[in-house]
Amino acid sequence: MSWDRRVVRQVGLAQAALGFTVNSLGACLVLLAADLDSAPEELAWLSSSFGVGLLVAGVTGRWALRPGPRPALLGSALVAAAGTILLAIGASAVMAAAGALLLGLGAAGFVLVTPALLGGPDAAAGLARAYAAGSVSALFGPLAIGALAATGLSGRLALLIAVPPLLFLAADTRPRRSAAATGPDAGAVSVPDAVSVSATATVSSSDAVSFSDAVSRSDAVSVSSSGSGSGRGTGDGPLGSGERARPRVEAARAPSVWRAAGVWATIVVAVSIEFCFTIWSTTRLQATGLPAGAAAAAATTFLVGMAAGRLAAPRLIARRVPVILVGCGLAAAGTVVVALFDAPVPVTLGLALAGLGVAPFYPVTLARFVQVPGLPTARAAAYGALASGTAILAAPATLAALGAALDLRTAYLVAVLPLALVLAAATLPGRARP
């Protein structure tokens, strides 16, 4: 199935804006703290905005998407643009808080809408390309903020780069009459449910779908096939009739509550580790003596490590390499380097090593959760979103509290190392898995 060029353009813009803005929150936290003459730990709420938006979108998504994905895309673009402007120019904590929350809501809306626009038998390929745009733009957000801050201007103003594309996206979402009626399934109530399923795979990991083929070969479920209907649907709507029948088949068997809860907890742990670094790596680098702008730029090494790890992981999974166990080892080693050294170069290298290890955590743990026998797909999607939102809300704030009580170096050791140990231990029981 080939998508209309306008759909491809819209999805690309949405994912690029999401990657650019959400991955800039850590750098914005440091700069906003300097502007308000407060400690970064006092602004931990900033790191929670995307988690709050994710939870809200998960609860209201099926109602928001009933008119179709385009109205939701329009609203998400406008909300994200308003939030970006407030966060970039806000001169008070209240304005910045409002901006961060609006940005989180808009970004979460993009998470829901993207799979709806790229439905059909070729959804996996389309989603993989869309998430690639988000991954690339994620690298440029902190770099742009750091470069602008180095000139003496407020680095937060770099966020305004995302506003024109967001406004263009909003203007580009006017519905076409030719697309108003795509068949009896186009406006079915099952569409929002399917979108919720697909959207879970996009949170916190822009390249999760690229793992689908490799994970399915290693006895884990394909992320894209569980959420997008890739290869199963008829192409008449976002999902075909084959995928819509799946929840009824799965409902015949009751899932093991304890097994489902255990796998759900691994998602929380995986996302917690990732966001501890995503949000607080700039602050950690600034504590080594780097100026705020240089710290924001250097913090992108964690994202570079994540990107490299996601490029290598599918091949490793196909070769039955236990990527979670290996990743936990690399993440633990990177954490030790980040915590024990107090010079910019080793801390930067430690962040890159940690990013390399963290890369496969979310896609693989999510894939295993969707594969729990007897767990309906829609329920798995809802619980998966709850896991991600819980981690995004709790982990960075907990790390900030530990940093305020102790110091950030010690906080990384106290928080991340036990989480990595728990995740590794949860991977050991049963059959060997990646």
Side-chain angles (χ1 to χ4, degrees), residues 208-222:
V209 174
S210 67
F211 283 80
S212 57
D213 293 337
V215 173
S216 63
R217 285 195 296 270
S218 57
D219 199 29
V221 70
S222 165

Side-chain angles (χ1 to χ4, degrees), residues 23 29 60-61 73 155 166 176 182 185-186 200 227 234 244 271 274 334 346 356 364 374 377 394 413-414 424:
N23 284 280
L29 186 152
T60 64
L73 180 60
L166 286 169
R176 286 181 175 179
T182 58
D185 293 333
T200 311
T234 64
R244 288 197 298 271
V271 178
E274 179 177 336
L356 192 65
V364 173
T377 303
L413 292 174
V414 172

Side-chain angles (χ1 to χ4, degrees), residues 297-373:
T300 58
T301 55
F302 177 74
L303 300 176
V304 171
M306 289 268 291
R310 286 178 181 145
L311 288 173
R315 296 181 181 179
L316 296 176
I317 293 172
R319 289 172 172 78
R320 311 294 296 180
V321 174
V323 293
I324 293 292
L325 288 176
V326 173
C328 286
L330 292 174
T335 301
V336 169
V337 173
V338 168
L340 295 187
F341 291 87
D342 202 26
V345 172
V347 171
T348 301
L349 294 176
L351 289 172
L353 185 60
L356 192 65
V358 167
F361 287 176
Y362 177 76
V364 173
T365 55
L366 177 65
R368 291 178 182 173
F369 183 65
V370 176
Q371 187 68 6
V372 171

Side-chain angles (χ1 to χ4, degrees), residues 234-245:
T234 64
D236 293 335
L239 289 181
S241 58
E243 182 64 26
R244 288 197 298 271

Side-chain angles (χ1 to χ4, degrees), residues 141-154:
L143 286 174
I145 289 175
L148 189 60
T151 67
L153 297 174
S154 173

